[in-house]
PDB file of all heavy atoms in Angstrom:
ATOM      1  N   TYR A   1       0.572  -7.022   5.097  1.00 87.00           N
ATOM      2  CA  TYR A   1       0.714  -7.094   3.645  1.00 87.00           C
ATOM      3  C   TYR A   1       0.266  -8.452   3.109  1.00 87.00           C
ATOM      4  O   TYR A   1      -0.162  -8.554   1.955  1.00 87.00           O
ATOM      5  CB  TYR A   1       2.167  -6.832   3.264  1.00 87.00           C
ATOM      6  CG  TYR A   1       2.386  -6.639   1.779  1.00 87.00           C
ATOM      7  CD1 TYR A   1       2.079  -5.427   1.164  1.00 87.00           C
ATOM      8  CD2 TYR A   1       2.903  -7.661   0.990  1.00 87.00           C
ATOM      9  CE1 TYR A   1       2.277  -5.248  -0.196  1.00 87.00           C
ATOM     10  CE2 TYR A   1       3.109  -7.490  -0.365  1.00 87.00           C
ATOM     11  CZ  TYR A   1       2.793  -6.283  -0.969  1.00 87.00           C
ATOM     12  OH  TYR A   1       2.992  -6.108  -2.306  1.00 87.00           O
ATOM     13  N   GLY A   2       0.336  -9.476   3.945  1.00 84.00           N
ATOM     14  CA  GLY A   2      -0.066 -10.805   3.497  1.00 84.00           C
ATOM     15  C   GLY A   2      -1.502 -10.840   3.000  1.00 84.00           C
ATOM     16  O   GLY A   2      -1.820 -11.563   2.060  1.00 84.00           O
ATOM     17  N   CYS A   3      -2.376 -10.060   3.612  1.00 86.00           N
ATOM     18  CA  CYS A   3      -3.784 -10.012   3.191  1.00 86.00           C
ATOM     19  C   CYS A   3      -4.129  -8.738   2.435  1.00 86.00           C
ATOM     20  O   CYS A   3      -5.056  -8.725   1.626  1.00 86.00           O
ATOM     21  CB  CYS A   3      -4.702 -10.127   4.416  1.00 86.00           C
ATOM     22  SG  CYS A   3      -4.920 -11.810   5.032  1.00 86.00           S
ATOM     23  N   HIS A   4      -3.380  -7.660   2.709  1.00 90.00           N
ATOM     24  CA  HIS A   4      -3.754  -6.356   2.180  1.00 90.00           C
ATOM     25  C   HIS A   4      -2.782  -5.837   1.117  1.00 90.00           C
ATOM     26  O   HIS A   4      -2.645  -4.623   0.944  1.00 90.00           O
ATOM     27  CB  HIS A   4      -3.848  -5.345   3.327  1.00 90.00           C
ATOM     28  CG  HIS A   4      -4.904  -5.690   4.331  1.00 90.00           C
ATOM     29  ND1 HIS A   4      -6.248  -5.581   4.049  1.00 90.00           N
ATOM     30  CD2 HIS A   4      -4.810  -6.151   5.610  1.00 90.00           C
ATOM     31  CE1 HIS A   4      -6.945  -5.951   5.123  1.00 90.00           C
ATOM     32  NE2 HIS A   4      -6.099  -6.302   6.077  1.00 90.00           N
ATOM     33  N   ALA A   5      -2.125  -6.749   0.411  1.00 90.00           N
ATOM     34  CA  ALA A   5      -1.199  -6.332  -0.641  1.00 90.00           C
ATOM     35  C   ALA A   5      -1.928  -5.524  -1.712  1.00 90.00           C
ATOM     36  O   ALA A   5      -1.414  -4.512  -2.200  1.00 90.00           O
ATOM     37  CB  ALA A   5      -0.529  -7.554  -1.262  1.00 90.00           C
ATOM     38  N   ARG A   6      -3.119  -5.946  -2.076  1.00 89.00           N
ATOM     39  CA  ARG A   6      -3.883  -5.247  -3.114  1.00 89.00           C
ATOM     40  C   ARG A   6      -4.229  -3.839  -2.658  1.00 89.00           C
ATOM     41  O   ARG A   6      -4.159  -2.879  -3.436  1.00 89.00           O
ATOM     42  CB  ARG A   6      -5.142  -6.039  -3.450  1.00 89.00           C
ATOM     43  CG  ARG A   6      -5.983  -5.399  -4.546  1.00 89.00           C
ATOM     44  CD  ARG A   6      -7.195  -6.260  -4.865  1.00 89.00           C
ATOM     45  NE  ARG A   6      -8.002  -5.651  -5.913  1.00 89.00           N
ATOM     46  CZ  ARG A   6      -7.781  -5.762  -7.212  1.00 89.00           C
ATOM     47  NH1 ARG A   6      -6.735  -6.465  -7.625  1.00 89.00           N
ATOM     48  NH2 ARG A   6      -8.571  -5.192  -8.095  1.00 89.00           N
ATOM     49  N   ASP A   7      -4.623  -3.684  -1.372  1.00 89.00           N
ATOM     50  CA  ASP A   7      -4.950  -2.358  -0.850  1.00 89.00           C
ATOM     51  C   ASP A   7      -3.717  -1.451  -0.890  1.00 89.00           C
ATOM     52  O   ASP A   7      -3.816  -0.267  -1.220  1.00 89.00           O
ATOM     53  CB  ASP A   7      -5.460  -2.469   0.593  1.00 89.00           C
ATOM     54  CG  ASP A   7      -6.693  -3.344   0.688  1.00 89.00           C
ATOM     55  OD1 ASP A   7      -7.713  -2.994   0.069  1.00 89.00           O
ATOM     56  OD2 ASP A   7      -6.631  -4.382   1.365  1.00 89.00           O
ATOM     57  N   TYR A   8      -2.561  -2.010  -0.565  1.00 90.00           N
ATOM     58  CA  TYR A   8      -1.326  -1.232  -0.554  1.00 90.00           C
ATOM     59  C   TYR A   8      -0.942  -0.803  -1.966  1.00 90.00           C
ATOM     60  O   TYR A   8      -0.636   0.375  -2.218  1.00 90.00           O
ATOM     61  CB  TYR A   8      -0.208  -2.067   0.069  1.00 90.00           C
ATOM     62  CG  TYR A   8       1.140  -1.407   0.071  1.00 90.00           C
ATOM     63  CD1 TYR A   8       1.549  -0.615   1.150  1.00 90.00           C
ATOM     64  CD2 TYR A   8       2.029  -1.576  -0.990  1.00 90.00           C
ATOM     65  CE1 TYR A   8       2.793  -0.004   1.160  1.00 90.00           C
ATOM     66  CE2 TYR A   8       3.272  -0.971  -0.997  1.00 90.00           C
ATOM     67  CZ  TYR A   8       3.656  -0.188   0.080  1.00 90.00           C
ATOM     68  OH  TYR A   8       4.895   0.422   0.090  1.00 90.00           O
ATOM     69  N   GLU A   9      -0.961  -1.750  -2.898  1.00 90.00           N
ATOM     70  CA  GLU A   9      -0.502  -1.470  -4.260  1.00 90.00           C
ATOM     71  C   GLU A   9      -1.439  -0.518  -5.004  1.00 90.00           C
ATOM     72  O   GLU A   9      -1.000   0.221  -5.884  1.00 90.00           O
ATOM     73  CB  GLU A   9      -0.372  -2.776  -5.050  1.00 90.00           C
ATOM     74  CG  GLU A   9       0.616  -3.776  -4.468  1.00 90.00           C
ATOM     75  CD  GLU A   9       2.055  -3.275  -4.501  1.00 90.00           C
ATOM     76  OE1 GLU A   9       2.338  -2.323  -5.265  1.00 90.00           O
ATOM     77  OE2 GLU A   9       2.893  -3.835  -3.761  1.00 90.00           O
ATOM     78  N   HIS A  10      -2.716  -0.510  -4.670  1.00 89.00           N
ATOM     79  CA  HIS A  10      -3.687   0.310  -5.402  1.00 89.00           C
ATOM     80  C   HIS A  10      -4.008   1.616  -4.700  1.00 89.00           C
ATOM     81  O   HIS A  10      -4.837   2.392  -5.185  1.00 89.00           O
ATOM     82  CB  HIS A  10      -4.977  -0.479  -5.637  1.00 89.00           C
ATOM     83  CG  HIS A  10      -4.843  -1.562  -6.665  1.00 89.00           C
ATOM     84  ND1 HIS A  10      -4.251  -2.775  -6.386  1.00 89.00           N
ATOM     85  CD2 HIS A  10      -5.203  -1.614  -7.977  1.00 89.00           C
ATOM     86  CE1 HIS A  10      -4.273  -3.544  -7.473  1.00 89.00           C
ATOM     87  NE2 HIS A  10      -4.839  -2.853  -8.457  1.00 89.00           N
ATOM     88  N   ALA A  11      -3.400   1.875  -3.570  1.00 89.00           N
ATOM     89  CA  ALA A  11      -3.639   3.145  -2.888  1.00 89.00           C
ATOM     90  C   ALA A  11      -3.009   4.282  -3.694  1.00 89.00           C
ATOM     91  O   ALA A  11      -1.835   4.213  -4.059  1.00 89.00           O
ATOM     92  CB  ALA A  11      -3.065   3.096  -1.478  1.00 89.00           C
ATOM     93  N   VAL A  12      -3.771   5.342  -3.989  1.00 85.00           N
ATOM     94  CA  VAL A  12      -3.269   6.433  -4.833  1.00 85.00           C
ATOM     95  C   VAL A  12      -3.270   7.793  -4.139  1.00 85.00           C
ATOM     96  O   VAL A  12      -2.689   8.739  -4.645  1.00 85.00           O
ATOM     97  CB  VAL A  12      -4.096   6.530  -6.137  1.00 85.00           C
ATOM     98  CG1 VAL A  12      -3.856   5.301  -6.996  1.00 85.00           C
ATOM     99  CG2 VAL A  12      -5.577   6.704  -5.832  1.00 85.00           C
ATOM    100  N   HIS A  13      -3.901   7.918  -3.015  1.00 83.00           N
ATOM    101  CA  HIS A  13      -3.960   9.212  -2.314  1.00 83.00           C
ATOM    102  C   HIS A  13      -3.484   9.052  -0.881  1.00 83.00           C
ATOM    103  O   HIS A  13      -4.291   8.986   0.042  1.00 83.00           O
ATOM    104  CB  HIS A  13      -5.382   9.784  -2.338  1.00 83.00           C
ATOM    105  CG  HIS A  13      -5.864  10.169  -3.697  1.00 83.00           C
ATOM    106  ND1 HIS A  13      -5.308  11.208  -4.414  1.00 83.00           N
ATOM    107  CD2 HIS A  13      -6.848   9.654  -4.473  1.00 83.00           C
ATOM    108  CE1 HIS A  13      -5.940  11.312  -5.574  1.00 83.00           C
ATOM    109  NE2 HIS A  13      -6.870  10.384  -5.637  1.00 83.00           N
ATOM    110  N   PRO A  14      -2.156   8.983  -0.654  1.00 89.00           N
ATOM    111  CA  PRO A  14      -1.080   9.027  -1.648  1.00 89.00           C
ATOM    112  C   PRO A  14      -0.747   7.638  -2.187  1.00 89.00           C
ATOM    113  O   PRO A  14      -1.232   6.642  -1.673  1.00 89.00           O
ATOM    114  CB  PRO A  14       0.094   9.575  -0.822  1.00 89.00           C
ATOM    115  CG  PRO A  14      -0.149   9.019   0.541  1.00 89.00           C
ATOM    116  CD  PRO A  14      -1.644   9.026   0.730  1.00 89.00           C
ATOM    117  N   ASN A  15       0.107   7.630  -3.189  1.00 90.00           N
ATOM    118  CA  ASN A  15       0.574   6.383  -3.794  1.00 90.00           C
ATOM    119  C   ASN A  15       1.576   5.739  -2.837  1.00 90.00           C
ATOM    120  O   ASN A  15       2.704   6.190  -2.697  1.00 90.00           O
ATOM    121  CB  ASN A  15       1.224   6.672  -5.152  1.00 90.00           C
ATOM    122  CG  ASN A  15       1.515   5.396  -5.909  1.00 90.00           C
ATOM    123  OD1 ASN A  15       2.046   4.433  -5.367  1.00 90.00           O
ATOM    124  ND2 ASN A  15       1.198   5.399  -7.210  1.00 90.00           N
ATOM    125  N   HIS A  16       1.144   4.665  -2.165  1.00 91.00           N
ATOM    126  CA  HIS A  16       1.971   4.066  -1.120  1.00 91.00           C
ATOM    127  C   HIS A  16       3.267   3.476  -1.682  1.00 91.00           C
ATOM    128  O   HIS A  16       4.338   3.631  -1.097  1.00 91.00           O
ATOM    129  CB  HIS A  16       1.184   2.974  -0.390  1.00 91.00           C
ATOM    130  CG  HIS A  16       0.132   3.503   0.519  1.00 91.00           C
ATOM    131  ND1 HIS A  16      -0.538   4.672   0.285  1.00 91.00           N
ATOM    132  CD2 HIS A  16      -0.374   3.011   1.695  1.00 91.00           C
ATOM    133  CE1 HIS A  16      -1.407   4.896   1.259  1.00 91.00           C
ATOM    134  NE2 HIS A  16      -1.329   3.894   2.127  1.00 91.00           N
ATOM    135  N   ALA A  17       3.146   2.764  -2.826  1.00 89.00           N
ATOM    136  CA  ALA A  17       4.326   2.110  -3.391  1.00 89.00           C
ATOM    137  C   ALA A  17       5.342   3.150  -3.860  1.00 89.00           C
ATOM    138  O   ALA A  17       6.545   3.036  -3.591  1.00 89.00           O
ATOM    139  CB  ALA A  17       3.914   1.197  -4.547  1.00 89.00           C
ATOM    140  N   ALA A  18       4.886   4.200  -4.570  1.00 90.00           N
ATOM    141  CA  ALA A  18       5.798   5.226  -5.072  1.00 90.00           C
ATOM    142  C   ALA A  18       6.444   6.006  -3.940  1.00 90.00           C
ATOM    143  O   ALA A  18       7.608   6.419  -4.030  1.00 90.00           O
ATOM    144  CB  ALA A  18       5.039   6.180  -6.001  1.00 90.00           C
ATOM    145  N   ALA A  19       5.693   6.190  -2.848  1.00 88.00           N
ATOM    146  CA  ALA A  19       6.234   6.951  -1.729  1.00 88.00           C
ATOM    147  C   ALA A  19       7.131   6.111  -0.831  1.00 88.00           C
ATOM    148  O   ALA A  19       7.783   6.631   0.064  1.00 88.00           O
ATOM    149  CB  ALA A  19       5.085   7.534  -0.910  1.00 88.00           C
ATOM    150  N   GLY A  20       7.160   4.811  -1.092  1.00 89.00           N
ATOM    151  CA  GLY A  20       8.007   3.934  -0.287  1.00 89.00           C
ATOM    152  C   GLY A  20       7.508   3.744   1.133  1.00 89.00           C
ATOM    153  O   GLY A  20       8.293   3.539   2.057  1.00 89.00           O
ATOM    154  N   PHE A  21       6.184   3.822   1.310  1.00 91.00           N
ATOM    155  CA  PHE A  21       5.620   3.627   2.649  1.00 91.00           C
ATOM    156  C   PHE A  21       5.880   2.185   3.109  1.00 91.00           C
ATOM    157  O   PHE A  21       5.920   1.259   2.291  1.00 91.00           O
ATOM    158  CB  PHE A  21       4.114   3.889   2.643  1.00 91.00           C
ATOM    159  CG  PHE A  21       3.764   5.344   2.503  1.00 91.00           C
ATOM    160  CD1 PHE A  21       2.459   5.727   2.225  1.00 91.00           C
ATOM    161  CD2 PHE A  21       4.724   6.334   2.654  1.00 91.00           C
ATOM    162  CE1 PHE A  21       2.114   7.057   2.092  1.00 91.00           C
ATOM    163  CE2 PHE A  21       4.394   7.673   2.527  1.00 91.00           C
ATOM    164  CZ  PHE A  21       3.087   8.037   2.241  1.00 91.00           C
ATOM    165  N   PRO A  22       6.020   1.976   4.396  1.00 89.00           N
ATOM    166  CA  PRO A  22       6.234   0.609   4.895  1.00 89.00           C
ATOM    167  C   PRO A  22       5.009  -0.257   4.648  1.00 89.00           C
ATOM    168  O   PRO A  22       3.874   0.235   4.616  1.00 89.00           O
ATOM    169  CB  PRO A  22       6.483   0.812   6.391  1.00 89.00           C
ATOM    170  CG  PRO A  22       5.866   2.120   6.713  1.00 89.00           C
ATOM    171  CD  PRO A  22       6.030   2.975   5.492  1.00 89.00           C
ATOM    172  N   ARG A  23       5.251  -1.542   4.480  1.00 88.00           N
ATOM    173  CA  ARG A  23       4.150  -2.463   4.230  1.00 88.00           C
ATOM    174  C   ARG A  23       3.450  -2.895   5.518  1.00 88.00           C
ATOM    175  O   ARG A  23       2.445  -3.603   5.447  1.00 88.00           O
ATOM    176  CB  ARG A  23       4.665  -3.693   3.479  1.00 88.00           C
ATOM    177  CG  ARG A  23       5.116  -3.376   2.060  1.00 88.00           C
ATOM    178  CD  ARG A  23       5.584  -4.620   1.344  1.00 88.00           C
ATOM    179  NE  ARG A  23       5.887  -4.355  -0.057  1.00 88.00           N
ATOM    180  CZ  ARG A  23       6.313  -5.279  -0.910  1.00 88.00           C
ATOM    181  NH1 ARG A  23       6.493  -6.535  -0.496  1.00 88.00           N
ATOM    182  NH2 ARG A  23       6.557  -4.961  -2.170  1.00 88.00           N
ATOM    183  N   ALA A  24       3.978  -2.513   6.616  1.00 88.00           N
ATOM    184  CA  ALA A  24       3.306  -2.772   7.893  1.00 88.00           C
ATOM    185  C   ALA A  24       2.221  -1.709   8.067  1.00 88.00           C
ATOM    186  O   ALA A  24       2.487  -0.593   8.515  1.00 88.00           O
ATOM    187  CB  ALA A  24       4.307  -2.735   9.033  1.00 88.00           C
ATOM    188  N   CYS A  25       1.018  -2.055   7.697  1.00 88.00           N
ATOM    189  CA  CYS A  25      -0.082  -1.082   7.673  1.00 88.00           C
ATOM    190  C   CYS A  25      -0.302  -0.421   9.027  1.00 88.00           C
ATOM    191  O   CYS A  25      -0.755   0.725   9.093  1.00 88.00           O
ATOM    192  CB  CYS A  25      -1.373  -1.766   7.228  1.00 88.00           C
ATOM    193  SG  CYS A  25      -1.209  -2.663   5.653  1.00 88.00           S
ATOM    194  N   VAL A  26      -0.002  -1.145  10.099  1.00 86.00           N
ATOM    195  CA  VAL A  26      -0.259  -0.601  11.436  1.00 86.00           C
ATOM    196  C   VAL A  26       0.612   0.611  11.736  1.00 86.00           C
ATOM    197  O   VAL A  26       0.394   1.296  12.730  1.00 86.00           O
ATOM    198  CB  VAL A  26      -0.048  -1.684  12.513  1.00 86.00           C
ATOM    199  CG1 VAL A  26      -1.096  -2.772  12.399  1.00 86.00           C
ATOM    200  CG2 VAL A  26       1.354  -2.268  12.420  1.00 86.00           C
TER     201      VAL A  26
END
C-alpha cells in the first residue's frame, strides 16, 4: 500500500475500498 495506494483506492472492478479488501496486495 505504501506505493500502490492509488491503485487500491481507484480500483472499481471490484471496488477494493468498498469491499474492505486487505491492503496487502499480495
Side-chain angles (χ1 to χ4, degrees):
Y1 190 78
C3 280
H4 297 289
R6 181 178 180 84
D7 301 299
Y8 177 90
E9 300 295 342
H10 288 78
V12 293
H13 294 293
N15 189 314
H16 287 31
F21 288 168
R23 292 181 174 180
C25 307
V26 293

